[in-house]
Amino acid sequence: MAKKLVIKVTAGADAPERCSQAFTVAAVAVASGVEVSLWLTGESSWFALPGRAAEFELPHAAPLPDLIDGILAGGGKITLCTQCAARRGIEEKDLIEGARIAGAQVFVSEIMPDGVRSLVY
């Protein structure tokens, strides 16, 4: 099994099933003992802000706030893309507790080591 899983989610409310799948896989991986790093890019960037995940609805899917809580409680990391944050006027002080802003250099450093798997939704 991979030692670490890095998931980049590019979809938000614009593609709810793809978005939900990314958060669900991240939460299940954390619960299974996998080290997880979830990257929010594109429209998923908004979920780095307090209260925004609660606005997301998808029938027969786990609530996004619950998935985020599970990821963070299990030691997973949530990162908002630097450029995506800048384009949306989001600053570090605006983020949910436990999230951070970082750029492509950090993403590449996370996905390159042996034993890491990466997924893009």
Side-chain angles (χ1 to χ4, degrees):
M1 181 182 282
K3 296 175 187 165
K4 182 174 183 178
L5 179 61
V6 180
I7 299 172
K8 180 182 276 194
V9 54
T10 63
D14 59 326
E17 287 181 310
R18 193 163 27 115
C19 176
S20 179
Q21 289 170 1
F23 283 89
T24 300
V25 168
V28 168
V30 166
S32 299
V34 176
E35 181 183 350
V36 173
S37 178
L38 180 68
W39 283 73
L40 307 178
T41 67
E43 286 304 300
S44 72
S45 299
W46 298 112
F47 300 128
L49 297 176
R52 294 300 288 264
E55 297 171 7
F56 180 87
E57 292 183 11
L58 182 63
H60 310 291
L64 218 51
D66 294 350
L67 296 172
I68 291 170
D69 289 347
I71 293 163
L72 293 172
K77 293 190 296 187
I78 295 180
T79 305
L80 173 58
C81 160
T82 300
Q83 290 181 17
C84 299
R87 281 190 282 275
R88 289 161 179 81
I90 300 171
E91 299 178 11
E92 196 90 34
K93 66 179 177 58
D94 302 322
L95 303 181
I96 59 174
E97 188 174 339
R100 65 177 179 164
I101 295 175
Q105 180 181 4
V106 175
F107 179 78
V108 170
S109 73
E110 285 190 11
I111 64 170
M112 293 309 295
D114 289 339
V116 175
R117 300 283 188 258
S118 59
L119 300 171
V120 178
Y121 286 89

